[in-house]
Amino acid sequence: MLRSLYTAYTGMINEQRRMDIMTNNLANATTAGYKMESSSSQSFDKVLGIKIRDVSEAYNDHAIGKMSLGVKIGEVFTDYSQGALRETAGKYDLALSGEGFFAVRYVDKNGNESTKYTRDGNFRLTKDGHVTDVYGNQLRTESGVLQVPLDSEDISIGVDGTVSVNNQVIDKVKVVDFENYDYIEKFGDNLYQTVAGATEKEAEAQVLQGYIEQSNVNSVREMVNLITITRAYEAGQKMIQSSDSIMDSAVNSVGRVS
């Protein structure tokens, strides 16, 4: 009975973790450039059950066979597939068509500078002429960060990232891709950072001015998954209630001396 309780418990914890992932996806269904997360489940390693100090076996330990300790989250992974492109006509709205990331200059609270990566091209112009994301991180270029004259009227960004002001090229937006996405991880709200072993490569993505890449979350599919997870969680609850009822009967009815 105790084994069934713990097995049901691990299943409920697993479904709760999956639900957290799904609800986070739904919460970011309208976040520009967001990439949905998914998970896999796997069983714990089987272990050898042993009965110890068994009176019928002259107090010798006795193997009773293999047993499973339930289920757990195996891996949480990110789906980097392209999201739909929405036209905005904004001169600082940028989207990437293809694989790659915008690079932004990130400064932490201690003043340490690093480069982060994003698919969210919802950029804006600050009062000092810098182009930043919604969190204030400056858009990196091949020569530094993108800064345009405040009085500029004609600003165009080509598919190769070339930035032109009044028909004069001033810089080029930096777009980065990686050999293996297993070496990048999510950072903060909608950014990514590299981990040891990451290898950059030339990005083949095209930069589209006046467009925003939407989240790749399929809301309908996520809602269906949430219903499935809820039912699995409820099944675990019923298993625990049934096991508890059986143990109650065993202790208070079967074992009662009349």
Side-chain angles (χ1 to χ4, degrees):
M1 286 301 106
L2 288 177
R3 186 187 305 180
S4 65
L5 281 173
Y6 285 117
T7 300
Y9 162 77
T10 61
M12 292 172 66
I13 292 297
N14 183 73
E15 297 306 322
Q16 185 175 20
R17 177 65 179 124
R18 290 181 62 205
M19 182 174 288
D20 290 341
I21 295 171
M22 298 297 172
T23 52
N24 184 60
N25 286 338
L26 285 172
N28 287 281
T30 59
T31 301
Y34 177 81
K35 300 304 179 186
M36 65 175 288
E37 291 185 323
S38 299
S39 64
S40 62
S41 299
Q42 67 181 59
S43 62
F44 284 101
D45 294 336
K46 290 186 176 181
V47 297
L48 179 64
I50 300 177
K51 184 187 292 186
I52 61 174
R53 299 184 62 79
D54 185 2
V55 176
S56 63
E57 296 287 339
Y59 294 97
N60 292 322
D61 295 346
H62 177 65
I64 57 176
K66 296 283 187 180
M67 59 182 292
S68 173
L69 300 179
V71 68
K72 62 179 179 178
I73 290 290
E75 179 185 11
V76 177
F77 54 91
T78 302
D79 177 4
Y80 291 99
S81 61
Q82 176 92 42
L85 301 181
R86 176 173 59 88
E87 186 173 6
T88 66
K91 67 173 68 175
Y92 296 108
D93 285 339
L94 304 177
L96 292 176
S97 178
E99 297 181 346
F101 300 85
F102 294 111
V104 296
R105 176 178 175 266
Y106 175 82
V107 180
D108 64 19
K109 61 182 180 180
N110 296 320
N112 299 314
E113 179 182 328
S114 61
T115 298
K116 307 301 181 187
Y117 306 92
T118 184
R119 292 282 298 195
D120 183 357
N122 185 15
F123 297 110
R124 56 199 62 191
L125 187 67
T126 64
K127 61 183 180 180
D128 57 359
H130 284 105
V131 177
T132 70
D133 63 13
V134 295
Y135 307 107
N137 303 307
Q138 297 172 350
L139 178 62
R140 286 200 180 276
T141 62
E142 297 295 340
S143 62
V145 295
L146 183 55
Q147 186 173 20
V148 299
L150 294 176
D151 57 352
S152 303
E153 296 183 0
D154 182 15
I155 298 174
S156 63
I157 301 177
V159 293
D160 62 348
T162 301
V163 182
S164 299
V165 175
N166 299 327
N167 295 321
Q168 301 236 343
V169 175
I170 63 169
D171 216 328
K172 184 177 182 180
V173 174
K174 186 174 184 179
V175 181
V176 178
D177 199 8
F178 300 94
E179 293 286 352
N180 190 335
Y181 286 179
D182 289 339
Y183 294 98
I184 59 176
E185 62 182 8
K186 288 194 172 183
F187 177 86
D189 294 316
N190 205 16
L191 299 175
Y192 299 88
Q193 65 181 2
T194 57
V195 298
T199 304
E200 289 188 11
K201 70 174 184 178
E202 184 177 352
E204 298 180 358
Q206 292 184 325
V207 180
L208 303 180
Q209 186 180 21
Y211 287 84
I212 289 290
E213 180 185 3
Q214 297 180 291
S215 167
N216 67 349
V217 175
N218 185 322
S219 298
V220 174
R221 183 178 61 189
E222 294 302 286
M223 289 298 297
V224 171
N225 289 338
L226 278 180
I227 294 172
T228 303
I229 290 171
T230 301
R231 289 176 177 171
Y233 189 88
E234 291 173 347
Q237 286 180 312
K238 292 178 180 178
M239 183 181 295
I240 287 179
Q241 291 169 352
S242 297
S243 298
D244 180 65
S245 178
I246 293 172
M247 284 194 296
D248 179 71
S249 298
V251 172
N252 297 302
S253 297
V254 177
R256 181 183 301 161
V257 178
S258 56

